[in-house]
Amino acid sequence: MYTIGLDLGGTKIKIGLIHNGQIVEEIEVDAASHLGLQNRLPVLEKEINQLLEKHGANDFQGIGISIPGIVDVNRARLLTINDKYNDAVDIDLKAWAKSVWNKPLFMENDARSAMVGEWKYGAGKGHDNVVMMTLGTGLGTSAVIEGKVVRGQNFQAGILGGHFIVNYKGQQCNCGNVGCAEAEASSWNLPNIIAALEEKSGKLPEADKVDFAQLFTWYREGNAAAKYVVDHCIKIWSTTVANLVYAYDPEVVIIGGGIMRSADIILPAIKENLKSFGWVPFDKIELKTAEFVHASALLSAEYFLSELNN
């Protein structure tokens, strides 16, 4: 049976029609997330209906939503979110799906959704103990232990690994803490990270925009300053992986996100760094790149709806 997946990103909303673990078709619409979610619902209705009609998929099992916030999965209600879709905490999306399509709706945090997509269909398939770290604008994490998605009593368990404190004298994080992993090594804080390291790294070349793609380009060209910054970030990511392993004892660690376009540099370096951590036989834990860099959150909708309907 078909499933509709929605991945509510800050810039784009992805809509996917899923069947038997495959995305039949995927489209994107502008998120305009700063304006809230309510005004996008008519657009989503139109796009979903066109997608269903195009593929003759009106008999679909429901809608699965991935969103970057804390989600009460039992009620499919958003509890809190940071600087996007701020009105979504007041929207009853289950009622929306019921009134428009008479179908169930499931909603989950985006990091968990990405992890479940990889666990059921991608790099974690066949394993019951999996953790995932996503390197992007921020640093997302999630975990499956003994075949169960980790959520906790407040639906926060597993997804706050980006706020592991890895340097108590470090960067100010937007969560209020100091030295969080994502404050030390993610895209949103990259200008401050570079500035803090400049005394030791030296000045980077001039560029209109310095992001991780540019840093890795300079790294490959042999630029010493870029190498210093990249090595710093890889050490932070390695420490985060080690913390995830200490916390969840997984068989597999999956690393995803746009920054993993440079996986050929990142993955071997993390493996090497993990050799210096104690207690755990890190060499026996599989370290993998995500198979679905942009689609895993969509794919999770099929699994979540199947569980909901059983």
Side-chain angles (χ1 to χ4, degrees):
M1 185 174 286
Y2 291 97
T3 305
I4 289 289
L6 297 178
D7 186 4
L8 305 185
T11 305
K12 297 288 184 180
I13 297 175
K14 298 176 186 177
I15 306 170
L17 181 65
I18 304 144
H19 183 63
N20 289 339
Q22 302 286 330
I23 296 179
V24 178
E25 186 174 349
E26 177 185 338
I27 59 176
E28 290 185 350
V29 297
D30 289 333
S33 59
H34 62 290
L35 298 177
L37 182 58
Q38 186 68 53
N39 72 326
R40 304 309 288 159
L41 294 184
V43 175
L44 296 180
E45 288 177 27
K46 177 183 175 183
E47 297 292 344
I48 290 170
N49 285 334
Q50 289 179 349
L51 200 56
L52 293 169
E53 183 177 355
K54 178 180 177 180
H55 293 276
N58 292 321
D59 184 23
F60 68 108
Q61 65 172 338
I63 296 174
I65 295 181
S66 164
I67 190 167
I70 306 296
V71 176
D72 179 341
V73 298
N74 299 324
R75 299 186 299 127
R77 294 300 294 257
L78 183 67
L79 300 177
T80 183
I81 194 167
N82 185 32
D83 291 337
K84 54 181 77 74
Y85 305 116
N86 290 329
D87 65 342
V89 295
D90 298 317
I91 300 174
D92 187 344
L93 291 167
K94 284 181 73 172
W96 170 65
K98 182 76 172 176
S99 65
V100 177
W101 297 283
N102 195 30
K103 297 292 184 180
L105 178 142
F106 186 91
M107 183 160 58
E108 180 59 280
N109 167 266
D110 59 345
R112 282 201 199 97
S113 295
M115 181 269 302
V116 167
E118 290 292 335
W119 170 45
K120 300 308 294 185
Y121 309 106
K125 190 174 181 179
H127 298 279
D128 283 337
N129 297 280
V130 180
V131 297
M132 185 169 176
M133 178 175 73
T134 303
L135 306 177
T137 303
L139 196 161
T141 65
S142 49
V144 166
I145 302 301
E146 297 182 351
K148 295 183 179 180
V149 180
V150 176
R151 293 192 176 98
Q153 64 174 338
N154 296 308
F155 307 100
Q156 297 176 0
I159 62 174
L160 297 179
H163 300 281
F164 288 157
I165 297 172
V166 295
N167 180 7
Y168 74 94
K169 293 183 179 179
Q171 295 280 334
Q172 178 71 53
C173 186
N174 56 19
C175 74
N177 291 336
V178 171
C180 293
E182 74 166 51
E184 295 292 321
S186 67
S187 295
W188 70 263
N189 203 35
L190 193 54
N192 291 327
I193 295 165
I194 290 169
L197 296 175
E198 191 173 70
E199 185 176 337
K200 292 183 177 179
S201 69
K203 279 194 170 293
L204 291 166
E206 292 293 326
D208 292 336
K209 180 182 180 182
V210 179
D211 54 14
F212 275 105
Q214 182 63 71
L215 278 175
F216 277 100
T217 297
W218 287 331
Y219 182 104
R220 295 176 193 278
E221 293 171 353
N223 181 270
K227 186 176 187 306
Y228 191 95
V229 175
V230 167
D231 286 347
H232 163 85
C233 291
I234 289 176
K235 286 176 183 175
I236 297 297
W237 299 332
S238 302
T239 302
T240 306
V241 169
N243 284 331
L244 289 168
V245 170
Y246 288 144
Y248 300 112
D249 192 19
E251 305 162 70
V252 180
V253 176
I254 301 168
I255 306 178
I259 295 173
M260 287 301 285
R261 292 185 181 93
S262 294
D264 61 310
I265 294 172
I266 297 169
L267 215 58
I270 290 178
K271 287 180 179 179
E272 184 63 28
N273 287 339
L274 289 175
K275 292 178 181 179
S276 65
F277 289 86
W279 288 105
V280 176
F282 284 96
D283 59 326
K284 295 183 180 179
I285 297 169
E286 290 188 70
L287 201 62
K288 295 184 175 183
T289 304
E291 289 187 20
F292 305 107
V293 176
H294 301 295
S296 56
L298 288 176
L299 285 170
S300 71
E302 182 175 84
Y303 169 77
F304 285 136
L305 264 297
S306 296
E307 290 292 294
L308 187 67
N309 291 330
N310 286 337

